Each structure stands twice: as structure tokens, then as C-alpha cells.
Amino acid sequence: MSLDSSIERAIKLVTLRNALEYDGKAKLEAVISKTMASRPDLRSSIKTIIPEVKRVLNQINSLAISEQRVLLQEMSPTTDAKKHAEKISGLPPLYGAEIGNVVTRFPPEPNGYPHIGHAKAAIIDDEYARMYNGKLILRFDDTNPLTEKTEYYDAIKEGIQWLGIKPDLIKNASDDIFLLQDYGKKLVSSRGAYVCRCDQKTIQEYRSKGLECACRLDSNSYDEALTEMFTGSFDPNEATIRFRGDMRSPNTAMRDPTLFRIIEGNHPILGTSVRVYPTYDFAAPVEDSLDGVTHAMRTKEYELRNELYNAVLDRLHLRKPVVSEFSRLEFEGLPVSKRKIKPLIEDKSLTGWDDPRLPTLIALKRRGFLPEAIRKYVLSLGWTLSESKPPFESLEAFNRRIIDDYSVRLFFVREPVELKVANANPVNVCLKNHPSSNLGSRSVQVDDTVYIARADASKLSEGSIIRLMELYNVKITSVELADDKSRIFADVIGTELSHEIQKIQWVAYDDKMPYRIIVPKKLYSNEQFDRDSLEIASGYAESFVSTLQLYSSVQFVRYGFCRLDSDQQAIFTHR
Ligand SMILES: [Zn+2]
């Protein structure tokens, strides 16, 4: 039977809404009863409707959630698609946002590697663009040739890609440098800004005292000096273009802030052809407006600059995006500031931007964090304005939940101590690679000697009983612990499992593989770089580790999750 299109549409809508409520899988009974509730006229023909509901439901359940969302937005753009979109993410609705008409942007400066703070901003921008079926622009805020490098543009692009974010447009503020200069000139010509010839010290002093400098009152500052500024008559620091604000404003950001300065440097894209560069205070609002950005979100430290952002656009008669702030993300003890990180890389205290102690994306990736975990974590924080620094462990929980299912369980013993089991028969044990996931197994030949970790060994004495995991229970007969040669002797006393017996991991004598684990700790303690923030754990791992794919995640039992980093080395991810 073919249904009339209004009935099919009603079934589709009910099914889509239901599917989006239940992780993409609509429930047949619920859909039938809701369809009947919305269309009582169909009750009499329920028998013919049910097969149709089943057909629609199978079709819709086979779509990805993102496709279901788009479909619902297309079918019902005004009402529930929007309501639903706003509900599914941890983020609040955007002020004045309409489905299909939202443009957000992520505007990093390419002056370093992207870190967790960038991830938060980019994920929020991306999430809102998706939520409203809108667009995301990645715009490099590259108007300072002294700090920007091609390497950093690439690193940011890679970081964004790793996070699973696909911007609809990638551009540079520097692409528009002449346009920005033109707007700057226009602003000066219309007396909205002026060329200031004062030195930095004077500017600062006048700013703090709330005084206007002579340049502001001098009519030459608007025409002649402007021409000179762009024809190269001034040296760097000899002149700046300042906004004609209010030197007595309680908001110091309004006290004639700098909009352009002369910088002589080799810009990664423009080379040395340009000398007059806009500041972020000028480039950001103008670019946002010209790029069609509807919602400009930035971190809270810019809050005082919002007044300036709007004033610049007002004075240029440009459209104003909605500006809002969220709190910046930085973990306790893991600073993101380039001022703190760069010197440590330069003096080799850190091995590079991917040093596992850093909160850069490249380091988090190397350490075994997944982009999905970072996204879930960021969204769980929601739109907070609190300035507190969460502990790093709060991110770990999200990652653990994801990698737990597919991380092979293996044994690693740190600072190995030999344990000889006098009455042991050689045995070939089959060890499961995961307690519940289907990750296969491995077999290990054990004769009479295994290694255990020194931390475990040091707790043993004659008469102690322990269980060598998946093997047998032993009773310790003697313990020799010395720096040069340590040995423990024991006897097998059975195989029954008991809660009272401590279970420890081991590595068989003939299966040992020298192994090291890099353990990153907090980079900073008490506001100081901690020189002991990297620990190396050396020992033996099972040789099976060498069969695993490089960069995969494993869980060393009773030690923690690690990511294989090179042949005989892993990086500690978290417990
Ligand atoms: Zn001045």
C-alpha cells in the first residue's frame, strides 16, 4: 500500500524525534503509539500502518545520528529541530541563533602549538556551528610577524583535524591585510582614531592618569601623519594608530588603545612587504564582521575588551556579531602560556612541543589521549564562567572510559626482582588479553623463575603468601634484597583463588623484554617548573608487547594505561 504523503511525513517526524532521543535508534512501540496519538484518525487502519512504520523506522535507524539531525532540521526547521539541537549538547542555546544562519569562528594566533585551551574554544565553536547547522571558520589571527611561524599554522591545522573538526573555511587575517589597513585609514580620516607619536612610557603614564596626549588634539595626526605612517617615514615604536576612545573611561581598554603598530619582521605569508600591522583589538572585530560571523565567542579575559570591539565596529558602520565569553581551560599545574612553555623548550628542559608533560594537543595525543575524550570532557564542562583550574584527572576519567575496552592487558614489572619457585613444573599458561573484550590471548612458557616488581618484593618476607596472577599461589621461603643481586625463593602451594591472597603481576624468565615507561608528572608545582616532573620507570615487560602495533594503548596490570611510543618504550597515559 502506498501512504498518503501527510501520513508518511507524520510517521517520519515521530520516528526521527524518537531516534534522536534514544541514541539514534527509534523504538517501534513508542513510534506506533506516538503516531496514533498525533493522528487519531489512523487508529482504524492500524494494521496497514504498522508495516509502514517498520519500513520508515528501519530506514531512519540505519542513518547516522548526524544525518538524522539534519533530516529533522530539514523537515521541521523552526520548532523542534532547534529545540532538540539545543538540548543534546551540554551547551546552552546561543542568543539569537537561528538554524542555518549561525557562523562561528576559531581565531588562533600561529605563535605556538595548540593546547587544551585551544581545544576547548575550537570544540565550542564547532559544536555551536553543528548544533545550528551553520558554519565554522578557522581564521589565523596572524598580524604579528615577530611571533608567528609557518610551523605553527601547520600544527594548529593538524590539531584541529585531530580533534575531528572540519572548518568550512580556513583563512588568515593577513589575507586581508590591505583591507584592514584601508579600514584603519578610514577610521583615522573620519577622526575615529589618530596617529600617536608618543613613546610607550608616555602612553602608559597618560593612560593610567586618564590624560589625552597632544597628538590626539593635533590635526596633523589625522592626515599628514597617517600618510607618513604608511609611506615608511616612521621607525617601529615611533608611531602607532590609536583609537579615539575615552581617556577617563573606567574601562581602561577604552583609553585610546593601539589599533596599528609598525613592525619590521619577516611575516610567514607576507614576507617583508608590510610594515603596518593591526592589533588583535582591530583585526578581530573587523574580520569577524566582514567574514559574516554571527556569534563571536572568546575567553573571559577579553571581557573588558567587548566595549572596544563594539565601538570599533560602530565607528566603521560595520555589522556587529554577538559576542560572548567562556572561561579558559587550563589544568592545575599544567600551564598553557607560551611565555612559560617556550623558554623550557628552548633551554631543553622539555624535549619539544610534544613532551608528554605538556598540555599541547600533540603531547596529549602522544600520551594516549583520544580526541573523543577531549570533546566529551569539554562539553561536560558546559558553558562555565568559573576561573578555577580543574585537575588533570578530570580529563583522564573520560579517556579511561573509552580506551578501557580495547587496551590489551599485559604485565610489566618495574625494577625486576627474580623469584625462583623451587617445586614448580614447567607450564605453558594462556593469558587473556582482555577480561571482557574479545582481544585474543597469548601463551607464556613458565619454568621455575619469574620476575616481580621491586615494590611488591619489598613487602615480602619468609612465610608470606602471594598469588602470581593467572598462575599459582606461592609461599615465600627466603628473601634476599640487595642492590646488586636480589633473589626470592618460594614454593608452589596451590592454585585456588582467594580474596585474602595478594595477586601480583610477573614476567617469565624467558619471556622478559627490557622496557621503559616514561611517566609525565605535573610540569609546575608551586608556580615553578618542577625539574623532577619526568620519571622513567625501567623494568621488564612481556615480549608480547613487541607484537602490538606501535602507538596502541595497553594497560599494564596494576600499573596503568600506557601508549606504545617506540620499540621498547611506552608513555604513561593515566591509571
Ligand atoms: Zn601621543
Side-chain angles (χ1 to χ4, degrees):
M1 126 179 191
S2 89
L3 289 178
D4 98 43
S5 65
S6 80
I7 301 176
E8 170 142 5
R9 190 186 147 82
I11 296 174
K12 252 192 180 168
L13 270 176
V14 170
T15 311
L16 279 169
R17 284 176 203 156
N18 190 258
L20 286 167
E21 216 162 300
Y22 296 101
D23 275 339
K25 300 290 170 217
K27 308 257 185 297
L28 184 64
E29 277 177 24
V31 172
I32 292 171
S33 75
K34 281 183 179 158
T35 307
M36 293 301 139
S38 70
R39 291 287 300 265
D41 56 307
L42 299 177
R43 279 196 188 133
S44 55
S45 45
I46 185 161
K47 276 202 178 123
T48 49
I49 298 280
I50 287 175
E52 288 307 309
V53 172
K54 279 186 182 159
R55 183 180 60 79
V56 170
L57 183 123
N58 286 336
Q59 202 183 16
I60 286 173
N61 281 357
S62 71
L63 300 174
I65 293 181
S66 56
E67 293 171 312
Q68 293 172 346
R69 210 178 291 156
V70 170
L71 198 59
L72 183 60
Q73 280 164 2
E74 280 169 1
M75 291 183 69
S76 173
T78 46
T79 53
D80 59 342
K82 187 172 169 205
K83 219 161 55 199
H84 195 83
E86 287 166 350
K87 206 173 75 187
I88 46 169
S89 149
L91 301 173
L94 270 186
Y95 176 78
E98 286 306 324
I99 296 272
N101 286 324
V102 167
V103 179
T104 60
R105 91 294 187 257
F106 171 56
E109 185 182 4
N111 63 353
Y113 275 63
H115 50 66
I116 190 71
H118 289 110
K120 178 175 179 185
I123 287 167
I124 286 180
D125 290 324
D126 182 48
E127 194 70 19
Y128 274 126
R130 287 197 206 182
M131 190 192 277
Y132 290 103
N133 216 6
K135 288 197 172 63
L136 167 70
I137 300 172
L138 164 59
R139 186 182 69 228
F140 288 100
D141 172 43
D142 55 348
T143 59
N144 185 354
L146 300 180
T147 56
E148 293 149 12
K149 282 192 197 165
T150 312
E151 179 191 355
Y152 301 144
Y153 290 77
D154 294 340
I156 291 169
K157 272 186 228 167
E158 275 162 34
I160 291 301
Q161 197 182 12
W162 179 67
L163 287 173
I165 295 173
K166 295 188 192 84
D168 296 277
L169 174 71
I170 300 179
K171 65 168 291 191
N172 310 306
S174 65
D175 300 343
D176 297 326
I177 187 72
F178 299 114
L179 188 65
L180 289 164
Q181 286 184 347
D182 284 346
Y183 274 103
K185 290 174 191 168
K186 204 169 132 188
L187 195 59
V188 176
S189 303
S190 63
R191 301 296 190 260
Y194 59 97
V195 177
C196 173
R197 310 275 322 267
C198 300
D199 57 45
Q200 281 306 311
K201 208 175 146 229
T202 312
I203 292 178
Q204 265 175 24
E205 191 190 324
Y206 278 42
R207 209 169 254 156
S208 67
K209 288 183 180 159
L211 299 174
E212 289 165 9
C213 72
C215 321
R216 182 174 156 140
L217 306 169
D218 180 358
S219 63
N220 284 339
S221 302
Y222 300 87
D223 305 308
E224 280 167 54
L226 179 65
T227 311
E228 286 179 274
M229 177 119 187
F230 284 90
T231 49
S233 306
F234 299 130
D235 284 336
N237 303 322
E238 250 193 295
T240 55
I241 293 179
R242 295 175 65 189
F243 188 73
R244 224 178 120 107
D246 175 0
M247 291 307 284
R248 277 163 292 280
S249 170
N251 179 359
T252 49
M254 293 304 289
R255 295 186 185 178
D256 293 17
T258 303
L259 301 184
F260 283 86
R261 66 271 200 241
I262 297 168
I263 303 175
E264 283 180 347
N266 193 359
H267 189 279
I269 292 169
L270 302 169
T272 52
S273 62
V274 172
R275 292 179 90 235
V276 182
Y277 284 95
T279 58
Y280 179 80
D281 280 335
F282 187 79
V286 175
E287 286 281 288
D288 285 350
S289 184
L290 299 178
D291 287 341
V293 172
T294 57
H295 293 78
M297 289 160 273
R298 36 190 206 174
T299 49
K300 208 171 167 246
E301 67 262 29
Y302 289 103
E303 203 170 12
L304 286 178
R305 315 198 82 80
N306 289 350
E307 189 181 351
L308 175 62
Y309 181 102
N310 288 320
V312 166
L313 293 178
D314 273 339
R315 218 166 266 184
L316 287 167
H317 307 291
L318 289 172
R319 181 191 58 88
K320 284 184 288 187
V322 178
V323 182
S324 46
E325 303 83 36
F326 53 83
S327 61
R328 122 201 191 116
L329 175 56
E330 175 173 326
F331 294 114
E332 191 201 328
L334 288 174
V336 296
S337 141
K338 274 157 218 93
R339 206 168 30 80
K340 288 182 179 166
I341 295 176
K342 261 187 183 166
L344 295 174
I345 292 176
E346 275 154 18
D347 75 9
K348 308 241 186 305
S349 299
L350 296 174
T351 55
W353 291 97
D354 66 348
D355 189 295
R357 285 167 285 182
L358 286 175
T360 53
L361 298 185
I362 193 174
L364 290 170
K365 175 185 176 184
R366 186 171 168 217
R367 192 171 162 173
F369 282 86
L370 296 183
E372 302 91 285
I374 294 176
R375 182 178 279 265
K376 283 194 172 142
Y377 173 67
V378 163
L379 294 174
S380 79
L381 299 175
W383 191 270
T384 51
L385 282 175
S386 103
E387 287 291 290
S388 67
K389 291 180 187 169
F392 190 65
E393 289 74 28
S394 58
L395 169 64
E396 294 178 353
F398 284 83
N399 200 59
R400 192 177 299 113
R401 228 170 284 152
I402 301 177
I403 64 173
D404 187 45
D405 282 350
Y406 61 79
S407 297
V408 164
R409 269 47 171 177
L410 276 179
F411 293 155
F412 165 75
V413 291
R414 184 177 183 172
E415 297 171 47
V417 172
E418 206 180 284
L419 171 73
K420 206 172 175 76
V421 187
N423 59 343
N425 292 319
V427 57
N428 198 283
V429 279
C430 177
L431 301 173
K432 275 173 86 180
N433 291 340
H434 195 281
S436 54
S437 299
N438 188 11
L439 298 180
S441 59
R442 58 196 189 274
S443 65
V444 177
Q445 176 66 34
V446 186
D447 294 330
D448 63 354
T449 305
V450 298
Y451 293 95
I452 62 173
R454 180 167 283 266
D456 289 327
S458 65
K459 290 180 197 136
L460 300 178
S461 55
E462 196 188 325
S464 313
I465 293 176
I466 50 169
R467 178 177 185 81
L468 298 172
M469 286 174 150
E470 312 291 329
L471 203 55
Y472 37 59
N473 305 330
V474 297
K475 184 171 188 176
I476 306 302
T477 53
S478 85
V479 177
E480 287 167 35
L481 283 182
D483 285 344
D484 48 345
K485 180 78 181 169
S486 297
R487 276 211 305 183
I488 297 176
F489 291 90
D491 287 327
V492 178
I493 54 161
T495 55
E496 312 90 82
L497 280 166
S498 160
H499 289 301
E500 279 136 51
I501 303 179
Q502 161 99 72
K503 301 177 189 66
I504 65 170
Q505 82 279 19
W506 49 271
V507 171
Y509 186 84
D510 289 322
D511 188 38
K512 63 180 181 288
M513 177 163 171
Y515 208 75
R516 47 185 244 150
I517 297 175
I518 296 177
V519 187
K521 303 195 159 167
K522 261 187 208 167
L523 190 66
Y524 261 57
S525 62
N526 302 324
E527 297 297 306
Q528 285 281 317
F529 169 58
D530 181 356
R531 305 233 151 246
D532 300 322
S533 48
L534 200 66
E535 193 180 288
I536 305 287
S538 300
Y540 291 144
E542 295 177 62
S543 65
F544 188 77
V545 72
S546 64
T547 68
L548 298 174
Q549 215 174 353
L550 195 57
Y551 308 130
S552 52
S553 277
V554 299
Q555 186 189 22
F556 287 117
V557 177
R558 295 181 66 234
Y559 192 80
F561 289 92
C562 296
R563 183 174 187 252
L564 308 186
D565 189 54
S566 59
D567 259 0
Q568 298 187 0
Q569 175 176 298
I571 297 180
F572 184 76
T573 312
H574 46 62
R575 285 229 154 254

